[in-house]
Amino acid sequence: MLIDVKSLYKIYNEGQESEVRALDGVSLGIDRGEFVAIIGQSGSGKSTLMNILGCLDIPTYGDYHLDGVDVTERTDTQLAHIRNKQIGFIFQGYNLIPALNVWENVELPLLYQGVLGSKRRDLVEHALERVNLLDRAKHKPTEMSGGQQQRAAIARAIATRPPIIMADEPTGALDSRTGKHVLEILHGLHDEGSTVILITHDNGIAATAERVVRLSDGRIIYDGSREGAFT
């Protein structure tokens, strides 16, 4: 199993009157090559879960094994290395660096990995071609539309060819036509073998996934096929 979490808790202000259980005993397994939507309203715990699955945060209690590695015992430096090797992130806010052009934004994670010149150029070019953005390589993010910025963010996420793509509300800031295009890119990546985890509050977007996990008050209340998720 690629992702295996058991009895995951994320508790803020534990033991105090203001205690909040953002995650309250979540257990979840995701196999390599799945396309999973994690859905829930604001405050349901879905973003907290993504942050832990993405090694951006650690749980208060519980076990998390990523590709057989216990990540709950890793240092911040080790977690950063795992993130860079295993996971490509796509965020609603794009998170592009305004001072860098598109090529440089996509190249950045490869520089962190120490990928050398010609191979790095090939990977950046392939990623930009994959999202049909090579002709915008020298543009700054502020010179592009929201859809183009999101495609640049996808190119950055896939440049290192990570096995896992985590997309947090990737269509949230886009019009419906552009959002549909972004989802098509994600499904194309899945068809090529990527494991895709899509975080959303939108039933229509979640329904495009093979499997739906619904969170409420930090707990999983549904985990199964999309056919049974919205009845």
Side-chain angles (χ1 to χ4, degrees):
M1 191 171 292
L2 183 59
I3 288 174
D4 185 19
V5 301
K6 289 186 172 68
S7 301
L8 217 59
Y9 291 82
K10 185 64 178 181
I11 305 172
Y12 299 98
N13 303 322
E14 186 176 11
Q16 301 178 31
E17 191 174 333
S18 57
E19 177 179 292
V20 174
R21 295 193 170 208
L23 294 177
D24 194 10
V26 168
S27 295
L28 178 68
I30 297 175
D31 286 324
R32 197 178 303 274
E34 283 197 87
F35 193 122
V36 181
I38 298 176
I39 186 170
Q41 297 305 310
S42 178
S44 63
K46 63 184 186 299
S47 292
T48 303
L49 180 58
M50 191 207 79
N51 286 340
I52 292 174
L53 295 182
C55 299
L56 295 167
D57 198 2
I58 57 173
T60 308
Y61 305 109
D63 298 316
Y64 176 23
H65 286 79
L66 175 59
D67 202 13
V69 175
D70 183 356
V71 298
T72 58
E73 299 297 327
R74 294 297 187 260
T75 65
D76 288 346
T77 301
Q78 289 170 329
L79 288 174
H81 179 74
I82 291 169
R83 284 195 303 271
N84 207 27
K85 286 286 188 183
Q86 295 272 22
I87 304 165
F89 292 98
I90 304 164
F91 297 100
Q92 178 177 344
Y94 320 134
N95 287 19
L96 299 171
I97 297 174
L100 302 181
N101 64 31
V102 169
W103 182 283
E104 291 164 340
N105 267 283
V106 174
E107 187 179 36
L108 204 56
L110 296 164
L111 289 169
Y112 289 149
Q113 282 194 6
V115 179
L116 298 178
S118 60
K119 183 179 181 183
R120 190 169 71 239
R121 285 193 297 275
D122 289 346
L123 288 170
V124 174
E125 186 171 319
H126 179 268
L128 288 171
E129 285 179 339
R130 184 68 185 76
V131 299
N132 195 27
L133 212 58
L134 193 56
D135 61 336
R136 299 280 180 164
K138 299 304 179 184
H139 285 64
K140 298 281 182 68
T142 53
E143 300 169 332
M144 300 165 64
S145 69
Q148 289 169 336
Q149 289 184 66
Q150 190 59 293
R151 281 188 283 145
I154 292 172
R156 180 185 57 193
I158 66 176
T160 60
R161 301 188 174 175
I164 304 168
I165 302 294
M166 290 192 180
D168 188 8
E169 302 279 7
T171 64
L174 306 175
D175 62 73
S176 58
R177 179 173 171 272
T178 309
K180 182 180 179 183
H181 185 210
V182 166
L183 286 174
E184 287 171 353
I185 293 172
L186 291 176
H187 279 278
L189 293 168
H190 172 245
D191 291 342
E192 293 169 10
S194 295
T195 303
V196 179
I197 300 172
L198 174 63
I199 312 295
T200 183
H201 69 278
D202 188 308
N203 284 343
I205 291 170
T208 68
E210 297 173 337
R211 174 182 169 194
V212 175
V213 176
R214 186 179 291 276
L215 286 176
S216 179
D217 296 326
R219 297 179 180 179
I220 293 176
I221 59 171
Y222 178 86
D223 182 358
S225 70
R226 61 187 169 201
E227 288 78 14
F230 308 106
T231 56

